[in-house]
Amino acid sequence: YEGDEPDADGVYRFKLKPDDNQPIVEATLKLRAIDGGVHADYTFTPTADARLNALSVKTSFDYADWRALSVDGRAVAFPTDRKTAGFFSGDAQEVALMAVKGRTVAFRFAAPTRVQLQSNRAWGSENFTLSLPVPGQSLYKGGVALAVSFDLVGAGDFDPKAGRPVVV
Protein backbone atom coordinates (compact mmCIF):
# COMPACT_ATOMS: atom_id res chain seq x y z
CA TYR A 1 0.00 0.00 0.00
CA GLU A 2 0.96 3.64 -0.51
CA GLY A 3 3.64 4.56 -3.05
CA ASP A 4 1.63 5.02 -6.24
CA GLU A 5 3.88 7.77 -7.62
CA PRO A 6 7.68 8.10 -7.65
CA ASP A 7 9.42 10.76 -5.56
CA ALA A 8 11.52 13.56 -7.08
CA ASP A 9 14.43 11.11 -7.59
CA GLY A 10 12.22 8.64 -9.47
CA VAL A 11 12.12 6.18 -6.56
CA TYR A 12 8.87 4.41 -5.77
CA ARG A 13 8.44 4.00 -2.03
CA PHE A 14 5.80 1.57 -0.84
CA LYS A 15 4.94 -0.67 2.08
CA LEU A 16 4.09 -4.35 2.38
CA LYS A 17 1.80 -5.53 5.16
CA PRO A 18 2.55 -9.18 5.95
CA ASP A 19 0.06 -11.62 7.47
CA ASP A 20 0.16 -12.90 11.05
CA ASN A 21 0.75 -9.46 12.62
CA GLN A 22 4.30 -9.31 11.32
CA PRO A 23 5.86 -5.84 11.01
CA ILE A 24 5.51 -3.64 7.95
CA VAL A 25 8.19 -4.05 5.28
CA GLU A 26 9.22 -0.76 3.69
CA ALA A 27 10.24 -1.12 0.07
CA THR A 28 11.67 0.91 -2.78
CA LEU A 29 11.85 0.45 -6.53
CA LYS A 30 14.14 2.44 -8.80
CA LEU A 31 13.79 1.91 -12.56
CA ARG A 32 16.12 3.07 -15.30
CA ALA A 33 16.14 2.52 -19.01
CA ILE A 34 18.77 0.24 -20.54
CA ASP A 35 19.25 -0.80 -24.15
CA GLY A 36 16.11 -2.74 -25.10
CA GLY A 37 14.62 -2.86 -21.63
CA VAL A 38 14.72 -1.73 -18.03
CA HIS A 39 16.93 -2.17 -14.97
CA ALA A 40 15.09 -2.58 -11.65
CA ASP A 41 16.56 -2.12 -8.17
CA TYR A 42 14.30 -3.18 -5.30
CA THR A 43 15.04 -2.89 -1.58
CA PHE A 44 13.02 -4.41 1.26
CA THR A 45 13.51 -3.29 4.86
CA PRO A 46 11.44 -4.83 7.67
CA THR A 47 10.61 -2.19 10.28
CA ALA A 48 11.30 -4.78 13.04
CA ASP A 49 12.40 -8.42 13.14
CA ALA A 50 9.95 -10.34 10.93
CA ARG A 51 9.13 -14.04 10.52
CA LEU A 52 7.85 -14.33 6.96
CA ASN A 53 6.88 -17.40 4.94
CA ALA A 54 8.09 -15.65 1.78
CA LEU A 55 9.48 -12.32 0.65
CA SER A 56 10.11 -12.00 -3.08
CA VAL A 57 9.67 -10.10 -6.30
CA LYS A 58 7.44 -12.18 -8.54
CA THR A 59 5.35 -12.06 -11.67
CA SER A 60 3.06 -14.50 -13.46
CA PHE A 61 2.90 -15.41 -17.15
CA ASP A 62 0.09 -17.10 -19.08
CA TYR A 63 1.21 -20.41 -20.60
CA ALA A 64 -0.66 -19.57 -23.82
CA ASP A 65 1.79 -16.72 -24.55
CA TRP A 66 5.06 -18.65 -24.13
CA ARG A 67 6.50 -21.61 -26.03
CA ALA A 68 9.84 -22.18 -24.28
CA LEU A 69 11.96 -21.28 -21.29
CA SER A 70 15.67 -21.49 -20.55
CA VAL A 71 17.87 -20.87 -17.53
CA ASP A 72 21.48 -19.91 -18.30
CA GLY A 73 21.02 -21.28 -21.82
CA ARG A 74 19.65 -24.67 -20.74
CA ALA A 75 16.06 -25.55 -21.67
CA VAL A 76 13.63 -25.99 -18.79
CA ALA A 77 10.46 -27.86 -19.71
CA PHE A 78 7.09 -26.51 -18.69
CA PRO A 79 5.18 -29.09 -16.63
CA THR A 80 2.40 -30.72 -18.63
CA ASP A 81 0.49 -32.17 -15.69
CA ARG A 82 -1.73 -30.42 -13.16
CA LYS A 83 0.15 -31.73 -10.10
CA THR A 84 3.68 -30.35 -10.49
CA ALA A 85 4.12 -27.00 -8.78
CA GLY A 86 7.79 -25.99 -8.50
CA PHE A 87 9.65 -26.87 -11.69
CA PHE A 88 12.89 -24.93 -11.20
CA SER A 89 14.71 -23.57 -8.18
CA GLY A 90 18.34 -22.54 -8.27
CA ASP A 91 20.82 -19.77 -8.90
CA ALA A 92 20.89 -18.24 -12.38
CA GLN A 93 22.30 -15.31 -14.29
CA GLU A 94 19.62 -15.38 -17.00
CA VAL A 95 16.08 -16.65 -17.36
CA ALA A 96 14.82 -16.34 -20.94
CA LEU A 97 11.23 -16.75 -22.10
CA MET A 98 10.50 -17.36 -25.78
CA ALA A 99 7.08 -16.07 -26.80
CA VAL A 100 4.71 -17.90 -29.11
CA LYS A 101 4.94 -14.86 -31.41
CA GLY A 102 8.75 -15.12 -31.58
CA ARG A 103 10.02 -12.48 -29.14
CA THR A 104 12.44 -13.42 -26.36
CA VAL A 105 12.27 -11.66 -23.01
CA ALA A 106 15.04 -12.25 -20.47
CA PHE A 107 15.66 -11.51 -16.82
CA ARG A 108 19.41 -10.98 -16.36
CA PHE A 109 21.36 -10.72 -13.13
CA ALA A 110 24.83 -9.28 -12.47
CA ALA A 111 25.66 -12.24 -10.22
CA PRO A 112 24.04 -15.66 -9.75
CA THR A 113 20.64 -14.99 -8.19
CA ARG A 114 18.08 -17.37 -6.67
CA VAL A 115 15.18 -17.98 -9.09
CA GLN A 116 12.08 -20.10 -8.51
CA LEU A 117 9.59 -21.13 -11.19
CA GLN A 118 6.19 -22.50 -10.22
CA SER A 119 3.31 -23.87 -12.26
CA ASN A 120 -0.04 -22.67 -10.95
CA ARG A 121 -2.08 -25.37 -12.70
CA ALA A 122 -2.40 -27.31 -9.45
CA TRP A 123 -4.57 -24.40 -8.24
CA GLY A 124 -6.62 -24.13 -11.45
CA SER A 125 -4.67 -21.32 -13.16
CA GLU A 126 -3.18 -21.56 -16.63
CA ASN A 127 -0.08 -19.58 -15.71
CA PHE A 128 3.32 -19.92 -14.11
CA THR A 129 5.17 -17.67 -11.68
CA LEU A 130 8.77 -16.46 -11.76
CA SER A 131 9.89 -15.53 -8.25
CA LEU A 132 13.07 -13.82 -7.09
CA PRO A 133 13.33 -14.45 -3.34
CA VAL A 134 14.80 -11.63 -1.30
CA PRO A 135 18.23 -12.67 0.02
CA GLY A 136 18.23 -13.93 3.57
CA GLN A 137 15.69 -16.00 5.41
CA SER A 138 13.17 -15.71 8.18
CA LEU A 139 13.88 -14.22 10.73
CA TYR A 140 14.46 -11.06 8.67
CA LYS A 141 16.21 -8.50 10.87
CA GLY A 142 14.49 -5.18 11.40
CA GLY A 143 16.17 -2.17 9.81
CA VAL A 144 18.32 -4.29 7.46
CA ALA A 145 17.80 -3.42 3.77
CA LEU A 146 17.75 -6.41 1.41
CA ALA A 147 18.17 -5.90 -2.34
CA VAL A 148 16.93 -7.59 -5.52
CA SER A 149 18.20 -6.21 -8.85
CA PHE A 150 17.80 -7.36 -12.43
CA ASP A 151 17.64 -6.29 -16.06
CA LEU A 152 14.52 -7.10 -18.06
CA VAL A 153 15.53 -7.11 -21.73
CA GLY A 154 13.75 -7.87 -24.96
CA ALA A 155 10.50 -6.14 -24.07
CA GLY A 156 11.52 -3.01 -26.01
CA ASP A 157 12.70 0.43 -25.02
CA PHE A 158 11.53 1.68 -21.66
CA ASP A 159 11.29 5.26 -20.46
CA PRO A 160 10.01 5.43 -16.89
CA LYS A 161 9.32 9.17 -17.29
CA ALA A 162 7.19 8.96 -20.47
CA GLY A 163 3.55 8.08 -20.88
CA ARG A 164 1.20 6.98 -18.15
CA PRO A 165 2.44 6.56 -14.57
CA VAL A 166 3.91 3.22 -13.55
CA VAL A 167 2.00 1.99 -10.50
CA VAL A 168 3.61 -0.47 -8.10
Side-chain angles (χ1 to χ4, degrees), residues 45-105:
T45 309
T47 56
D49 290 357
R51 292 197 186 281
L52 305 173
N53 290 332
L55 181 58
S56 63
V57 175
K58 66 181 180 178
T59 188
S60 294
F61 300 93
D62 291 330
Y63 278 112
D65 297 332
W66 305 97
R67 65 178 172 82
L69 166 72
S70 67
V71 175
D72 291 338
R74 294 181 308 275
V76 174
F78 291 124
T80 56
D81 61 51
R82 298 189 106 31
K83 294 178 183 177
T84 301
F87 63 97
F88 177 85
S89 181
D91 290 344
Q93 286 198 258
E94 180 182 85
V95 177
L97 298 159
M98 286 62 73
V100 170
K101 294 182 179 179
R103 181 180 296 229
T104 297
V105 175

Side-chain angles (χ1 to χ4, degrees), residues 20-165:
D20 301 328
N21 296 315
Q22 293 299 303
I24 297 292
V25 176
E26 295 178 341
T28 65
L29 170 60
K30 174 76 175 176
L31 301 171
R32 70 177 162 79
I34 59 171
D35 188 28
V38 62
H39 176 82
D41 286 309
Y42 283 89
T43 63
F44 299 91
T45 309
T47 56
D49 290 357
R51 292 197 186 281
L52 305 173
N53 290 332
L55 181 58
S56 63
V57 175
K58 66 181 180 178
T59 188
S60 294
F61 300 93
D62 291 330
Y63 278 112
D65 297 332
W66 305 97
R67 65 178 172 82
L69 166 72
S70 67
V71 175
D72 291 338
R74 294 181 308 275
V76 174
F78 291 124
T80 56
D81 61 51
R82 298 189 106 31
K83 294 178 183 177
T84 301
F87 63 97
F88 177 85
S89 181
D91 290 344
Q93 286 198 258
E94 180 182 85
V95 177
L97 298 159
M98 286 62 73
V100 170
K101 294 182 179 179
R103 181 180 296 229
T104 297
V105 175
F107 291 81
R108 293 188 181 144
F109 312 98
T113 298
R114 178 65 53 184
V115 175
Q116 296 173 332
L117 295 164
Q118 172 183 289
S119 174
N120 297 317
R121 287 180 170 149
W123 299 279
S125 296
E126 285 299 314
N127 63 30
F128 62 96
T129 301
L130 181 144
S131 179
L132 306 173
V134 172
Q137 59 188 24
S138 211
L139 177 80
Y140 293 95
K141 298 301 273 178
V144 176
L146 304 163
V148 174
S149 297
F150 59 89
D151 293 341
L152 177 62
V153 296
D157 291 334
F158 176 82
D159 181 355
K161 295 179 184 173
R164 62 182 167 79

